[in-house]
Amino acid sequence: MNNINSIATVAKNNLCCSCGICEGVCPKDAITYQRDTLGFFKPLVSSQCINCGLCSRSCPGINDLSVSIEHNTNHLLFGHSNDFDTRFNSSSGGLLTELLCYLLEKRIVDYVSVVSSFEYGDEPTIQLTNDIALVRQCKTSKYCPTHLGKIIKQLNLIDGSVALVGLPCQINSIRAIAKHNKKIQNRI
């Protein structure tokens, strides 16, 4: 199947989850995202597409990536932040915020992904940071579409390890990309 038709077909049939992975893996920057009338990001493929297939291999709308999920039901962990502000102004008690800060403080990873907060009409975006203050600033829930396209491109450019946070479709797509991209595989 032609890549232009594949990604276009995904969008046309409402199978696109707006993860942005296809934009991030495209070596020719032939895929961009535009909001539709409902506010969802939809991919647009330009004539610069070389039909390399990277977008098709990583698209959760084309592939059933659920088979790559490893289930381990031997352990159940739970917790919350001990910081009052973080606990009561974060999703799920601030556990993820504290985990990301810990990973940075202990230098277990060099960068973490966070979703920026709404500011001055700007839409939240996913970004990589090593700034603990920014991680804490981004602690609140964001129930809006975001996509990882720019993060995928950054993973190819930066040095160091990264802890990525995302939706299941985004994480499974990143795992699919990492199987074919050693640079990304070694960073996450």
Side-chain angles (χ1 to χ4, degrees), residues 136-178:
R136 293 200 181 281
Q137 180 184 342
C138 295
K139 67 185 170 210
T140 60
S141 298
K142 287 92 176 171
Y143 297 100
C144 60
T146 58
H147 61 89
L148 293 172
K150 291 181 177 75
I151 295 293
I152 300 302
K153 296 211 184 282
Q154 287 177 347
L155 286 172
N156 282 308
L157 299 174
I158 64 168
D159 287 324
S161 59
V162 178
L164 286 175
V165 177
L167 298 170
C169 59
Q170 293 170 327
I171 299 304
N172 281 328
S173 292
I174 290 170
R175 284 181 176 171
I177 293 166

Side-chain angles (χ1 to χ4, degrees), residues 14-15 23 34 37 68 73 83-85 100 102 135 144 146 148 168 175-176 181 186:
N14 297 315
L15 298 172
E23 178 186 39
Q34 185 175 15
T37 56
S68 69
T73 57
D83 177 74
F84 182 86
D85 181 59
L100 294 177
Y102 177 84
V135 174
C144 60
T146 58
L148 293 172
R175 284 181 176 171
N181 184 322
N186 292 331

